[in-house]
Amino acid sequence: MQIYVKRENWDGQLLMKLPISSLEAEQIKKELKQAHPSVMIPFIGGVESEFPGLEEALTGEFVFEDGHLELLNKLAKETEEMNQEKRFRFQAAIEMEQPQSLKDVLHVLSRLERYSFQPEIRSYEDLGRYAAHREKREIPEELEEFFDYEQLGRFWECEHGCLTEGGWVEKNYYQSEEKSASEKEKKELEKRVLVVEVRQEFPRVSYERFYLPMPEEDLKEKLKECKRKGQEVVGITGTSSVAELYNYLPPGCSMEELNGIAGEVYQLQQRTELDWKRMLSALEAEVPATAKEACQVIGNYRNYELLPRKTKNPELYGRYLLEQKGSEIPDNVKYYIRYEELGKKRSKEAGLIETGFGMLVNRVHPIRREDWKAERLCICHPLTILRYDPSEESIVPKDLSGKEALAFKEVIEGEIEKSLKGEWEGALSGFLKNKLLQQKIQRMYPYVEEYQGELKGVLCVETKAELLESERQALLHEWNEIARFGWGDELFSKPVQVGNKEIYIGFFGNGTEGEGLFVEPEELFPKEGEGCEMKM
């Protein structure tokens, strides 16, 4: 995030990158004085940020008065550390609330839990179907094909949220439920730890929400009710009331297991004030394989300590350890310590693990990963390759397959290589939502290969540890999302010019979600002398 510092009686401006240290801020003040001495108070004349709404909110705010510099640093730091989902929520919240000051922006930022994020809703038609379900509209079957879901979606957006590039963000997700609930039901909603959404695809898209924890008997009845309706559960997504707990749980948990985990967290909340970052870091570091193991980690919450950011590498950790000893170590000794060696040895002994929130240590038993065994596997699925030729009469792109598609293999490989630079460079695994799965993945890289006379898309996955069956299924699902809506969507949206023709590369098949994905042995998909072992 960057701001332009201006003064009322000066036409120039200085660029200030945030967050900024006090020394750097003093240098900016000196440069202002040298540019044009004045008693006028410096203010923000413009903002460069990935969130367009910030410029309107911050322009005109004083830079160095009223503690604003500290607040600006806080804003810049928190936005830098946001994951992709939080960025979409913040972007939408700014657009909906239209804050008019720095304090307004920070107020919106502090209340992001009031906005839910649903990445599966990506078009106004999707939103319209969702709205029809929420409003309990009974659309006669004979009129279903004539109902304008897109128009309903546009109206729904005006009242309830914002449709972003990444999905639907809704304000006051629980508002309608809470308004209509009795006082007793309101108290039950306040206990929620997880909000789990079950999404049914057929015969039409519909949703069912479970507020966890809930009594076991109530959960059984709700699940029976879904079954009576003929609703087949094909996908579960979840959010939590305070943090992204769902993404830090073992993939593939049943509804009963999720309810048990939510109950464990709820009981912990009654005993102590929860540091969510510490608890989520503990789950990320321990990588529990089952719901039972996740409950054990949550139950042992007090055993973990999240260390300061300055412990990120061995040398810094070594210095941090000596800082804790304070005056016990004489200065003439500190100067000659090999801090990197000290940090390496002590971090190994302590079982220090790096998480998304910082370095974590278990003070009761070191976290060990020496028994992890790496593996490699290939995920293969159909490609969608379209060619558009303006010289031909038809305006519809031609779907290429077989030898026609193989002729463009080198061109497609070049485009894939280009697409993996910038935001996606070496980081496809970083876009996995499940943080436990992410801990086990070393690297993911896509390419194309000939298979049985067809050009296929292949994802090579290098892991740090063998994946459980539930983790493999989660990986297939998440890769399908990345290939359809993330990196793959970006690749498809940039046509390749080959002569006077345009080629569109879709790293997905034409079928429904997940259709056509399969895993094959190493020898079928060699890549520059390297193959991927089939473990599924």
Side-chain angles (χ1 to χ4, degrees), residues 225-238:
E225 184 182 346
C226 285
K227 194 172 182 180
R228 281 196 297 270
K229 291 178 182 176
Q231 295 174 325
E232 180 185 0
V233 176
V234 296
I236 299 176
T237 59

Side-chain angles (χ1 to χ4, degrees), residues 334-395:
K334 291 179 182 177
Y335 293 140
Y336 301 100
I337 298 293
R338 294 195 297 272
Y339 290 102
E340 187 172 354
E341 291 180 30
L342 171 67
K344 281 182 180 178
K345 184 176 181 182
R346 292 288 185 264
S347 63
K348 187 174 182 181
E349 290 172 353
L352 203 62
I353 297 293
E354 183 177 357
T355 73
F357 297 102
M359 306 302 290
L360 185 91
V361 64
N362 185 327
R363 296 208 168 277
V364 174
H365 70 81
I367 302 171
R368 299 297 185 202
R369 293 182 174 179
E370 286 84 354
D371 58 343
W372 276 15
K373 184 181 177 184
E375 68 172 344
R376 303 178 73 193
L377 55 90
C378 281
I379 297 175
C380 173
H381 51 84
L383 288 171
T384 295
I385 304 173
L386 304 177
R387 187 197 71 189
Y388 173 67
D389 188 341
S391 65
E392 295 178 355
E393 291 184 5
S394 175
I395 61 171

Side-chain angles (χ1 to χ4, degrees), residues 298-458:
I298 294 165
N300 295 326
Y301 163 80
R302 290 184 176 275
N303 297 345
Y304 299 93
E305 181 183 357
L306 195 57
L307 302 179
R309 288 274 179 187
K310 59 184 177 181
T311 61
K312 191 168 182 179
N313 63 47
E315 180 184 350
L316 292 176
Y317 183 56
R319 291 182 182 278
Y320 168 76
L321 290 175
L322 291 193
E323 278 180 19
Q324 302 310 296
K325 293 183 177 292
S327 59
E328 294 179 28
I329 310 296
D331 287 342
N332 61 353
V333 173
K334 291 179 182 177
Y335 293 140
Y336 301 100
I337 298 293
R338 294 195 297 272
Y339 290 102
E340 187 172 354
E341 291 180 30
L342 171 67
K344 281 182 180 178
K345 184 176 181 182
R346 292 288 185 264
S347 63
K348 187 174 182 181
E349 290 172 353
L352 203 62
I353 297 293
E354 183 177 357
T355 73
F357 297 102
M359 306 302 290
L360 185 91
V361 64
N362 185 327
R363 296 208 168 277
V364 174
H365 70 81
I367 302 171
R368 299 297 185 202
R369 293 182 174 179
E370 286 84 354
D371 58 343
W372 276 15
K373 184 181 177 184
E375 68 172 344
R376 303 178 73 193
L377 55 90
C378 281
I379 297 175
C380 173
H381 51 84
L383 288 171
T384 295
I385 304 173
L386 304 177
R387 187 197 71 189
Y388 173 67
D389 188 341
S391 65
E392 295 178 355
E393 291 184 5
S394 175
I395 61 171
V396 179
K398 182 180 179 182
D399 193 350
L400 301 182
S401 60
K403 290 183 179 180
E404 284 185 298
L406 287 171
F408 293 98
K409 183 173 183 289
E410 289 186 11
V411 172
I412 293 172
E413 285 175 336
E415 289 305 308
I416 290 172
E417 188 175 339
K418 281 186 203 174
S419 72
L420 294 174
K421 294 179 180 177
E423 179 188 2
W424 303 97
E425 189 164 6
L428 282 185
S429 59
F431 287 87
L432 295 171
K433 291 179 184 176
N434 187 277
K435 303 302 179 184
L436 309 194
L437 182 59
Q438 198 178 93
Q439 280 285 306
K440 286 190 171 184
I441 303 296
Q442 181 71 41
R443 187 171 172 235
M444 292 166 40
Y445 57 91
Y447 60 97
V448 291
E449 193 57 72
E450 181 180 354
Y451 176 73
Q452 296 180 350
E454 293 282 347
L455 199 59
K456 299 289 185 182
V458 183

